[in-house]
Amino acid sequence: MAAAVGLVFALLVIFQMSSSVSALSSNYYDQTCPKLESAVTNAVKKAMMNDKTVPAALLRMQFHDCFIRGCDASVLLASKGKNKAEKDGPPNISLHAFYVIDNAKKAVEALCPGVVSCADILALAARDAVALSGGPTWDVPKGRKDGRISKASETRQLPAPTFNISQLQQSFSQRGLSLKDLVALSGGHTLGFAHCSSFQNRIHSFNATLDVDPTLNPSFGSSLRSVCPAHNKVKNAGATMDSSTTTFDNVYYKLLLQGNSLFSSDQALLSTRETKALVSKFASSQEMFEKAFVKSMIKMSSISGGQEIRLDCKVVR
């Protein structure tokens, strides 16, 4: 009997997820807010003119939103009273460029008040971040709703840069994402910058006998150690994610195969035959990487979340 109840519950959860995902549509706002996408794109373009780190920030913001309670813009909510929100959780302290979403929301509200969710604006902004950095563009399915709950404690569920392949696989599979999705979405690391704390474990006291991770290219490891000494006191010290950090390309995979990746979670992609084959495939063909990335982004950004449309992305009505 218990097994039957469990099966019914599991099927109900699957049905709820699939019905939510199927409710998304590329032309969701065609009648109610036809100028939505150009308003969001303009906000992202304007921000990028003043700050080259904006695309990486928006892409990371989308990942961190979708992995906690689904793609419901809960990462945008401000802490209030005794409730510490997601954006103030340890993995999210370095998230920035929230103002880009706020500016896009203001522009959209001026066009069509109370119609478009913050979650959809974030999904569109992440797409624009990729496209405006030289990467692919795609039709974003829309119709997400905004969530009301945001807890810093839940950010512990985010995959960490120290994760091994089994931890990564578990984290992604819990969200309906495959190993191929994992490898393709990791390609988002082609944009951006990482603080020393994210890869310190690979360059100092790696294990009982080795100071540096032996899978790191020795010269690359040395350069990281010079930027990030053992007792680093420089707050913003770190390294770019790849050598073309403001361009969305497949250089991340090429560097990974050369032992020039930053995170343990990057290196972990070479630890199984299936994931290593995908890394090699994406390193050899930007076209195949982009095709897989778009497919996985659409899949990830369709993880269901909220229940309402927020008028201000930072606060619940």
Side-chain angles (χ1 to χ4, degrees):
M1 180 67 183
V5 171
L7 178 62
V8 169
F9 177 73
L11 289 171
L12 183 62
V13 169
I14 291 166
F15 172 74
Q16 286 173 336
M17 282 181 69
S18 61
S19 62
S20 171
V21 170
S22 64
L24 299 184
S25 161
S26 294
N27 54 11
Y28 190 86
Y29 297 110
D30 281 5
Q31 304 303 317
T32 55
C33 198
K35 294 181 180 176
L36 160 65
E37 300 212 14
S38 59
V40 175
T41 303
N42 287 339
V44 176
K45 273 184 182 172
K46 189 175 179 182
M48 283 176 67
M49 285 167 64
N50 300 313
D51 184 355
K52 290 180 180 177
T53 70
V54 161
L58 294 174
L59 189 55
R60 186 165 174 246
M61 198 184 295
Q62 168 80 339
F63 288 150
H64 284 221
D65 183 48
C66 291
F67 267 66
I68 308 294
R69 294 184 173 269
C71 309
D72 65 348
S74 54
V75 75
L76 305 177
L77 286 168
S79 295
K80 186 179 180 183
K82 290 182 179 179
N83 181 59
K84 199 174 173 186
E86 283 172 40
K87 65 161 64 171
D88 293 320
N92 287 341
I93 293 295
S94 59
L95 285 182
H96 67 286
F98 292 104
Y99 72 91
V100 183
I101 306 301
D102 291 336
N103 290 345
K105 178 65 169 172
K106 282 174 193 165
V108 171
E109 284 298 310
L111 292 170
C112 24
V115 171
V116 181
S117 67
C118 298
D120 277 340
I121 289 172
L122 178 52
L124 288 166
R127 184 273 313 272
D128 290 340
V130 171
L132 294 169
S133 300
T137 190
W138 62 92
D139 281 335
V140 174
K142 296 168 285 289
R144 295 165 192 77
K145 296 292 187 285
D146 298 325
R148 300 179 62 85
I149 298 168
S150 184
K151 295 181 179 179
S153 58
E154 294 184 351
T155 60
R156 284 177 293 200
Q157 299 167 25
L158 288 166
T162 54
F163 270 16
N164 61 34
I165 195 66
S166 59
Q167 290 170 311
L168 288 167
Q169 185 172 11
Q170 183 181 17
S171 178
F172 275 65
S173 66
Q174 284 170 348
R175 292 157 178 87
L177 299 170
S178 67
L179 275 177
K180 187 173 184 180
D181 296 320
L182 163 63
V183 179
L185 293 172
S186 293
H189 287 170
T190 183
L191 298 175
F193 176 90
H195 291 95
C196 295
S197 57
S198 302
F199 53 87
Q200 198 85 359
N201 65 306
R202 299 188 75 195
I203 57 172
H204 299 290
S205 307
F206 178 67
N207 61 25
T209 55
L210 294 167
D211 207 23
V212 180
D213 183 344
T215 62
L216 268 177
N217 180 319
S219 61
F220 183 61
S222 296
S223 69
L224 292 180
R225 281 166 66 90
S226 66
V227 174
C228 302
H231 302 290
N232 174 52
K233 296 285 193 295
V234 182
K235 186 182 177 184
N236 292 319
T240 55
M241 298 297 283
D242 75 13
S243 53
S244 56
T245 186
T246 58
T247 304
F248 192 93
D249 54 28
N250 65 339
V251 169
Y252 161 81
Y253 298 105
K254 294 175 181 178
L255 293 175
L256 179 50
L257 290 171
Q258 294 165 18
N260 294 345
S261 63
L262 289 180
F263 301 157
S264 296
S265 57
D266 294 324
Q267 181 62 33
L269 302 182
L270 301 181
S271 62
T272 75
R273 191 181 299 173
E274 183 183 349
T275 53
K276 187 174 182 178
L278 286 165
V279 170
S280 298
K281 181 179 171 183
F282 297 156
S284 65
S285 170
Q286 179 148 337
E287 187 182 351
M288 284 195 283
F289 161 51
E290 289 184 352
K291 190 175 177 183
F293 182 82
V294 166
K295 193 173 179 182
S296 295
M297 274 297 283
I298 291 171
K299 191 173 170 184
M300 182 200 71
S301 68
S302 299
I303 300 171
S304 60
Q307 311 82 32
E308 64 180 19
I309 306 290
R310 292 206 295 273
L311 300 180
D312 180 335
C313 294
K314 298 187 292 291
V315 295
V316 174
R317 279 187 284 180

